[in-house]
Amino acid sequence: MMKKPSIKMLFEKNKSEPQFVEKSNVKDIELKKQDISSSYDKNLATFKSIFSVPKNTDVKVREFTIRALNRRAFIIFISTMVEVERIQESIVKPLLENELSTGEIRDIVSYPIEKTATVIGEITEFITGGMTALFIDGDIQSHLFETTNLTGRSIEKSDNEVIVKGAKEAFNERVIDNIALLRKKIKNENLIVDSQVISKRSRNDVFLVYQKDLANDEILQTIKDKLTSIDIDRILDLSILEQYLEERPRSLFPTILYTERPDRAASFIEEGHIVILMSNSPSCLILPTTFWSLMHSPEDHYLRAPYGNFIRLLRLFAFLVAVFASAFYIAITNYHVGMIPPDLLMAFAGTRERVPFPSVIEIFMMEIAFELIREAGLRVPTPIGPTIGIVGALILGQAAVQANIISPIVIIVIALSGLSSFIISDLSINFAIRMTRLLFICSAGLLGVYGLIALCMVFLFYLVSLNSFGTPYLAPMTPHFLSSKDLIIRHLPIKERFRPGYLKPKDMVKQRKE
């Protein structure tokens, strides 16, 4: 009778399976570190095995004989990433028909050779990036042709960062276009585009863009070390990479700036920041980042100084209203009614006469309802989204007031708080405001104005403790650095003589006095 396997036997069996997979992975890694062979058949078998040909239907292998050299050869490429007709006309056809024996492949084909490579793993990465590899019998190197032809969106307007005055271009999913947009705005030989490959399986290309005569070497090396230390199979987008780069990924407040606008990225590069681009991501990351950078908008610099400062003051006021309005209403109506003028207090009491819930419950109900309406308007198709937002808010608010569930003054407070949060253009800081508002509502419901002040002090201590790649989060306000003092009030462009001192750029002065 067959013996029933014990739990220990099953565990040992399962434990042995990952070891087999690990050995298989080690074998593949060792293979990719080797050089290609001079044997035609061995190279053909190796790359067919690596790319699982013919099971992998979009990987094409073409075998033929080079007429001028009378030697066998094959090319391998991924048909979904290249222009197949051009490969046939410019590479395969000349090799088949040209009889002039020059000894050089570049003289036979009409397509320029990008580079040559000998390591199997390196050639594999080039092929998966859209290149075409040519292998010739007897040669110990492969000829690589830059045949990448990926389709993507054209350069369009930014959907999330809408401004009235300024450039209308935005990044798209083609990193080549994104780099070109930055090159177009910064025509300087010191602009460096440094590439790096991250993730083990998807092998995504990441590009560090900076000015070598401005960017601080210590900050740059810290970012490079952080990218190198990432050990994961795949990172598909910059939004995911951002979470690996942050020092405190659970923090409410972001320490990396995410933008879709090349003009904004170029302005930060000129100040000494480092910009990270990634293939297939229609945006960039700006490092390091301060709280004031997140609060500013690119439109502030396009407007004349009085107009830009007015918008900034309005944005700061909206920030305070979005964070404190609901909490302050709860504090004064529950704990500090003496602060309300008598006539206004009677008006409040009249509107709340038939409402069965305390003001804290009212505020929480409407805050949740407002967030539901906001998210519903964003997730549904564009033609319906604004309609749902407007109609939903009107119907819900009016019905709640008529049913004596919510007082009219609460509708006004929530609407004012919600509208103020929309003025903050950065998505991450917007989420931070919405979440901290709920915390302040809880503190006001427990301790009134004293709870507000206590939690406000805690948040100030917390913000001061944050760093972005060694840069204090509230700099240059605290700690103080010599800079252009571009915090709340923006000075005239002719008065901005220095770059941000907290970045420690190699050249502090950006405008000399005459």
Side-chain angles (χ1 to χ4, degrees), residues 328-503:
F328 188 71
Y329 170 78
I330 293 173
I332 62 172
T333 54
N334 285 1
Y335 296 94
H336 312 282
V337 291
M339 298 174 60
I340 309 174
D343 294 340
L344 185 59
L345 181 60
M346 294 299 293
F348 282 4
T351 58
R352 287 187 43 81
E353 184 177 1
R354 297 184 179 180
V355 176
F357 304 109
S359 57
V360 178
I361 302 299
E362 283 186 273
I363 290 291
F364 264 116
M365 289 172 60
M366 290 310 299
E367 285 284 357
I368 294 172
F370 190 88
E371 293 297 331
L372 290 174
I373 293 172
R374 183 203 296 243
E375 290 301 317
L378 290 174
R379 307 304 171 194
V380 298
T382 305
I384 311 174
T387 306
I388 288 180
I390 296 172
V391 175
L394 288 175
I395 294 176
L396 185 64
Q398 185 68 22
V401 171
Q402 290 182 353
N404 294 322
I405 298 175
I406 303 296
S407 60
I409 188 64
V410 170
I411 300 292
I412 296 173
V413 171
I414 295 298
L416 184 62
S417 177
L419 288 175
S420 298
S421 67
F422 283 115
I423 298 179
I424 312 299
S425 59
D426 187 83
L427 182 63
S428 297
I429 200 70
N430 197 292
F431 270 109
I433 291 171
R434 291 157 62 182
M435 295 175 71
T436 54
R437 179 168 60 208
L438 298 177
L439 296 178
F440 276 105
I441 289 172
C442 293
S443 66
L446 292 174
L447 298 173
V449 172
Y450 300 106
L452 280 180
I453 295 174
L455 189 59
C456 185
M457 294 298 294
V458 169
F459 265 97
L460 284 177
F461 290 144
Y462 175 69
L463 291 176
V464 170
S465 70
L466 289 177
N467 283 284
S468 177
F469 294 90
T471 301
Y473 198 55
L474 293 182
M477 175 176 283
T478 177
H480 179 72
F481 287 91
L482 179 66
S483 67
S484 59
K485 299 179 177 62
D486 187 12
L487 298 177
I488 300 173
I489 300 297
R490 180 176 70 86
H491 296 283
L492 294 173
I494 57 176
K495 298 292 184 180
E496 296 180 355
R497 295 188 54 230
F498 300 104
R499 291 184 173 87
Y502 53 82
L503 294 174

Side-chain angles (χ1 to χ4, degrees), residues 80-261:
T80 52
M81 301 180 70
V82 302
E83 194 173 351
V84 180
E85 294 79 7
R86 191 174 179 189
I87 293 175
Q88 180 66 29
E89 292 294 326
S90 303
I91 300 176
V92 178
K93 191 174 180 181
L95 292 173
L96 286 172
E97 298 179 356
N98 198 334
E99 297 181 355
L100 298 175
S101 178
T102 61
E104 293 289 340
I105 295 297
R106 66 180 72 252
D107 296 330
I108 300 175
V109 298
S110 57
Y111 201 100
I113 296 176
E114 180 70 19
K115 59 184 70 176
T116 58
T118 59
V119 182
I120 293 175
E122 186 179 352
I123 297 171
T124 302
E125 289 189 9
F126 286 130
I127 294 172
T128 55
M131 284 190 171
T132 298
L134 170 64
F135 296 85
I136 303 174
D137 188 14
D139 281 3
I140 57 172
Q141 65 180 6
S142 171
H143 302 278
L144 298 162
F145 302 87
E146 180 59 78
T147 54
T148 309
N149 183 34
L150 299 177
T151 58
R153 288 188 303 142
S154 59
I155 298 173
E156 302 171 354
K157 294 182 180 180
S158 174
D159 293 329
N160 298 323
E161 298 177 80
V162 180
I163 64 173
V164 178
K165 192 174 183 179
K168 307 300 181 185
E169 297 173 329
F171 290 128
N172 60 20
E173 286 76 12
R174 288 171 54 89
V175 71
I176 297 176
D177 292 343
N178 298 340
I179 295 173
L181 287 172
L182 293 177
R183 289 278 187 189
K184 186 174 70 171
K185 297 182 182 301
I186 306 176
K187 300 174 182 178
N188 193 322
E189 68 279 2
N190 292 313
L191 183 66
I192 303 298
V193 181
D194 190 0
S195 63
Q196 189 170 340
V197 178
I198 60 171
S199 68
K200 293 181 292 186
R201 288 188 178 274
S202 56
R203 294 196 291 271
N204 305 100
D205 293 320
V206 172
F207 298 86
L208 297 176
V209 186
Y210 58 92
Q211 293 236 45
K212 68 177 182 180
D213 59 339
L214 292 180
N216 182 271
D217 292 333
E218 185 177 347
I219 296 176
L220 181 61
Q221 190 60 44
T222 302
I223 297 172
K224 288 183 177 180
D225 293 341
K226 192 76 173 179
L227 288 171
T228 306
S229 65
I230 297 175
D231 185 16
I232 193 173
D233 281 352
R234 63 188 180 96
I235 296 178
L236 299 180
D237 192 82
L238 273 176
S239 302
I240 302 175
L241 178 62
E242 177 184 1
Q243 300 174 57
Y244 283 93
L245 292 176
E246 283 186 315
E247 295 178 5
R248 297 188 185 180
R250 292 184 178 88
S251 172
L252 285 182
F253 288 85
T255 54
I256 297 177
L257 178 59
Y258 179 97
T259 181
E260 297 177 352
R261 299 187 59 85

Side-chain angles (χ1 to χ4, degrees), residues 264-285:
R264 192 179 190 187
S267 66
F268 276 101
I269 292 174
E270 292 285 6
E271 296 288 345
H273 292 260
I274 293 98
V275 166
I276 295 182
L277 297 171
M278 185 175 175
S279 54
N280 305 316
S281 293
S283 55
C284 74
L285 299 179

